[in-house]
Amino acid sequence: MSHLLMHIATPFSFHCMLGEALRSISKGDGLDDNTVITIADQINHNLDALRQSGSSMRLEVASLNHMAALAAMSRSDNDTASAYLSVSLQLLPDDHWQSSYRLSLKLYIATAKVACSSGYMDKSDAALKVIFKEATSLEDKLEAYYLYVNLLHSQEQGEEAHTTCQDVLAQLGEKIPEYVTAEESKKIIQETIVIISGLSEEKLLKLKEADENSQTVMRFICLMGTVSYFSKPELLPYLNLRCIQLTMENGLCKYSLTGLVGISIVLCNVTALPKECVQLGYKIGALGMAMLQSHFEYSELKSRVNHTYSYVLQHSDPVQKCAERARKGYGFGISSGDTVFAFFNANGEIRYSILAGANLPDLLCETDKYLAIIGDHGNTLSRSYMLVYRETISALIDNGENTSLTTTTENGEKEAANDAIYLDRQSETLSFHKVLQSFWLGYHDRCYHYSEKLLETKDAGKHHRLVALFYHGLNSFVLLRKGKFTKRCAQVYKIAHNALKEAEELSRWNYRNKVNLLEAEKYSFQGYNKEARNSYGAAIMSARSSKFFHEQGLACELAAFHCQRNGDLEQARKFFDQARTCYKKWGSSVKVESISNEIDQLSFSESAAVEVQIGTA
């Protein structure tokens, strides 16, 4: 290409001369990104002339623009990358799939990636379909299949995504079963535990490096695990076991460690497993992450693994830290072009922030920002979850009076998942958020209904269950005082208390205040005034220490009601004032108004009591 520019007849001689000068001072073909982009920009001024030039020259410039597109993609400049790729495609000859096969393959996969990262899903899909038609081997189609599955998953076309993974793995020699029974799943988990219990960094580093085919198989197994979380969750233990078996048999790679993080999710989130499994899951997940960071270049997986690992950390780390990690994961995804997992991380940030009691108006603004970006990219899966989160935030601010968002189609019908397989997961999430909304808004019968519904869901995540049990337990005391569901509500406290006490052993930060508050309500219900006051005080202190302003306010509010029931109106007022201050920090207008009404009612009661005393005197 050293004499390329001097052969182009064009009126833009200045750009030709500048491009030739830049080319001549460069070191052969070892051009850095800035030089490639600069030269491409100069040459592209002559596009009309290039179209009339010989095929070899057009191909050389097409290759240069491909290099420039890759440089732009590495900087997350998708618009510029798309422009370079457009030039490249225009310069290809009509028979380019025959005469320039490798370049054509590179250009179409780059076009599909850039289009997907920019939100042009139809364009990405079209480029991938061309590759499936024209590529001559499975090896040449693998990258396209990987992107295609992610594209399908983000648009809630899970059945096709699952089948595509299964077909690719079958062609690679890895047959995945259609179904795994509950009994088989238990045996698989036990077998996995036996294999991983003795794993260490030292042992893993002694393994040979996995061959290319094994790495590809593990890569698609990990991808299938992402889809199976929604489509066939019963397959997750099997997929994780296969990943670690392949590692022990064929060697170590970054996908082995991604698989370890996947194993840790199962151990931490399967409800029936004991706390020892959660502890092992946390250990194995931490090992996988540490080795990825120390021994592998995994920038293209960083957003994906970050999102996966958050399902482990939510059981041990402060929930605020989980939200911050998810925010970073969003940045990793955007910078690497993995918008699918960037948006999953965005979902995680908002979900954890709700649970952490982040300022609600600020959180609403952040959610709307994400919704706008996600909507532009056509990621219906992330959008459907974000809309649920937004509904909860709106309800907690003002019961949706001024902050609600209409989420209907043009026909006035509620949006729904494209595939039925996504409905179970979304139904679980919806039930969980109905628990939150109902509890905080004082709809006690509704809170009971959705809590029971969630707990009956076999695939409900352990973290959702724990948080729901906290609110279900507190809500049960309200219902017990009203004489409703008495037998079941008495059981709920024991179930909630036992589960949260066990969770507290892994994370005092997240669960100590919840255990304290449940115990306070039990003592209050049983008439143990001193013990109740001590436990309310402990709940308030531990919530403040963990920066859970919403739950600090809740502990103050329930302490105020306890004092009110026991005739200590002065202390009740103090607790109500503290609760109102916490709810103001939280940004919940509906709770501030509710507490203000309680204070007004308390003042009325105090005034009435004084009048009675005066009249009696």
Side-chain angles (χ1 to χ4, degrees), residues 59 89 92-109 126-136 140-141 144:
L59 289 173
L89 292 171
L92 291 177
D94 293 339
D95 66 341
H96 60 89
W97 278 106
Q98 289 74 42
S99 62
S100 306
Y101 178 79
R102 285 296 157 195
L103 178 58
S104 298
L105 189 63
K106 292 177 183 177
L107 288 174
Y108 272 83
I109 192 63
L128 292 172
K129 295 292 176 57
V130 172
I131 294 173
F132 298 148
K133 177 183 177 183
E134 301 291 350
T136 57
D140 289 345
K141 297 178 183 179

Side-chain angles (χ1 to χ4, degrees), residues 263-274:
I263 290 171
S264 68
I265 289 180
V266 173
L267 296 179
C268 289
N269 288 284
V270 173
T271 306
L273 295 177

Side-chain angles (χ1 to χ4, degrees), residues 77-91:
D77 188 354
N78 291 321
D79 290 342
T80 300
S82 181
Y84 289 132
L85 291 169
S86 177
V87 171
S88 293
L89 292 171
Q90 290 179 56
L91 295 175

Side-chain angles (χ1 to χ4, degrees), residues 200-490:
S200 65
E201 181 173 357
E202 182 181 3
K203 288 183 178 180
L204 287 171
L205 289 176
K206 287 181 180 179
L207 297 173
K208 65 181 180 180
E209 182 181 356
D211 59 80
E212 186 175 347
N213 185 70
S214 296
Q215 291 195 37
T216 300
V217 170
M218 283 189 269
R219 186 189 189 201
F220 274 89
I221 286 177
C222 291
L223 178 61
M224 193 173 188
T226 299
V227 178
S228 294
Y229 177 80
F230 292 88
S231 61
K232 292 189 176 183
E234 70 276 3
L235 276 180
L236 281 174
Y238 174 84
L239 294 170
N240 290 325
L241 175 61
R242 278 304 294 146
C243 203
I244 193 64
Q245 286 175 335
L246 287 167
T247 296
M248 305 309 291
E249 294 167 5
N250 301 329
L252 182 69
C253 66
K254 57 188 174 184
Y255 304 111
S256 307
L257 303 174
T258 304
L260 281 184
V261 177
I263 290 171
S264 68
I265 289 180
V266 173
L267 296 179
C268 289
N269 288 284
V270 173
T271 306
L273 295 177
K275 66 181 179 182
E276 290 77 16
C277 287
V278 178
Q279 293 168 333
L280 177 60
Y282 184 76
K283 174 186 172 183
I284 289 299
L287 174 62
M289 289 298 298
M291 290 190 67
L292 274 173
Q293 293 165 359
S294 301
H295 302 289
F296 292 90
E297 201 296 305
Y298 73 112
S299 57
E300 82 283 6
L301 293 174
K302 208 167 188 180
S303 182
R304 185 178 300 261
V305 178
N306 186 87
H307 172 71
T308 306
Y309 192 45
S310 71
Y311 286 92
V312 178
L313 293 182
Q314 66 187 4
H315 295 284
S316 58
D317 287 20
V319 69
Q320 296 94 334
K321 184 177 178 181
C322 293
E324 178 60 30
R325 187 180 188 91
R327 186 179 300 113
K328 290 180 180 178
Y330 171 78
F332 295 150
I334 293 298
S335 63
S336 67
D338 186 1
T339 55
V340 173
F341 274 86
F343 298 146
F344 288 166
N345 276 290
N347 289 145
E349 178 192 343
I350 301 303
R351 179 170 74 91
Y352 291 127
S353 295
I354 291 172
L355 299 180
N359 180 266
L360 292 168
D362 290 346
L363 196 53
L364 185 68
C365 291
E366 188 76 0
T367 302
D368 284 341
K369 181 193 78 175
Y370 280 138
L371 274 170
I373 299 171
I374 292 170
D376 288 342
H377 282 72
N379 190 317
T380 61
L381 181 57
S382 290
R383 186 171 186 272
S384 64
Y385 281 91
M386 197 66 80
L387 286 171
V388 174
Y389 304 154
R390 194 195 188 284
E391 181 183 0
T392 294
I393 297 166
S394 174
L396 296 177
I397 292 176
D398 61 0
N399 200 10
E401 187 174 334
N402 298 305
T403 56
S404 64
L405 180 69
T406 302
T407 58
T408 56
T409 64
E410 292 180 358
N411 296 324
E413 298 175 351
K414 282 286 186 180
E415 294 181 355
N418 289 335
D419 272 5
I421 63 172
Y422 289 93
L423 293 179
D424 286 343
R425 285 291 184 192
Q426 292 180 8
S427 177
E428 176 218 325
T429 298
L430 188 59
S431 292
F432 175 75
H433 281 267
K434 289 297 183 184
V435 171
L436 298 187
Q437 296 169 30
S438 302
F439 177 85
W440 285 104
L441 296 175
Y443 303 141
H444 303 295
D445 287 2
R446 192 182 302 176
C447 181
Y448 176 89
H449 166 75
Y450 282 110
S451 296
E452 290 290 294
K453 182 178 179 181
L454 178 69
L455 295 176
E456 290 170 359
T457 305
K458 66 174 182 177
D459 292 323
K462 184 179 285 189
H463 192 247
H464 269 179
R465 284 178 179 271
L466 284 170
V467 177
L469 277 171
F470 169 59
Y471 290 114
H472 195 19
L474 294 179
N475 189 65
S476 293
F477 287 109
V478 178
L479 295 174
L480 281 169
R481 292 187 180 98
K482 294 179 178 181
K484 294 184 174 182
F485 312 113
T486 52
K487 185 177 180 180
R488 174 58 178 163
C489 285

Side-chain angles (χ1 to χ4, degrees), residues 32-46:
D32 61 51
D33 287 352
N34 289 331
T35 304
V36 168
I37 287 174
T38 301
I39 294 175
D41 286 344
Q42 300 307 314
I43 292 176
N44 290 347
H45 278 282
N46 306 293

